[in-house]
Amino acid sequence: MKKAVELLDLTGIPCPMNTAHALLKLAQMPDDACLEIVLDDGEPIINVPVSLEDEGCHILARERKGKQWMLRVQK
């Protein structure tokens, strides 16, 4: 598994803006780069991974960290 290149904290950012922020960040990163995204529980952890996969990204890991989730995504 590749190491995360960058961390993007999207706690407190509601849907669908969190997906938009994640996609914008990924678009600025090199191909095959990894991004760790911190998301809130509830709608964000349900919706963001699906949207990122729909855009061709690969979800490498999804791990609960207290009240948030850590999502590792490969572009």
Side-chain angles (χ1 to χ4, degrees), residues 14-34:
C15 293
M17 290 307 299
N18 47 20
T19 299
H21 284 287
L23 289 172
L24 181 61
K25 183 67 174 178
L26 285 162
Q28 298 169 354
M29 296 174 69
D31 290 341
D32 292 332
C34 290

Side-chain angles (χ1 to χ4, degrees), residues 17-52:
M17 290 307 299
N18 47 20
T19 299
H21 284 287
L23 289 172
L24 181 61
K25 183 67 174 178
L26 285 162
Q28 298 169 354
M29 296 174 69
D31 290 341
D32 292 332
C34 290
L35 177 66
E36 285 190 349
I37 304 170
V38 181
L39 294 167
D40 293 317
D41 198 16
E43 285 186 9
I45 193 58
I46 295 168
N47 296 334
V48 172
V50 172
S51 296
L52 294 178

Side-chain angles (χ1 to χ4, degrees), residues 5 7 31 35 39 45 53 56 60 64-65:
V5 173
L7 175 68
D31 290 341
L35 177 66
L39 294 167
I45 193 58
E53 287 178 324
L60 302 176
R64 189 175 193 79
K65 301 278 189 177

Side-chain angles (χ1 to χ4, degrees), residues 1 6 24 29 31 35-36 56 59 62 65 68 70 75:
M1 186 178 306
E6 294 193 41
L24 181 61
M29 296 174 69
D31 290 341
L35 177 66
E36 285 190 349
I59 307 302
R62 182 186 321 221
K65 301 278 189 177
Q68 282 83 33
M70 177 69 72
K75 182 176 175 183

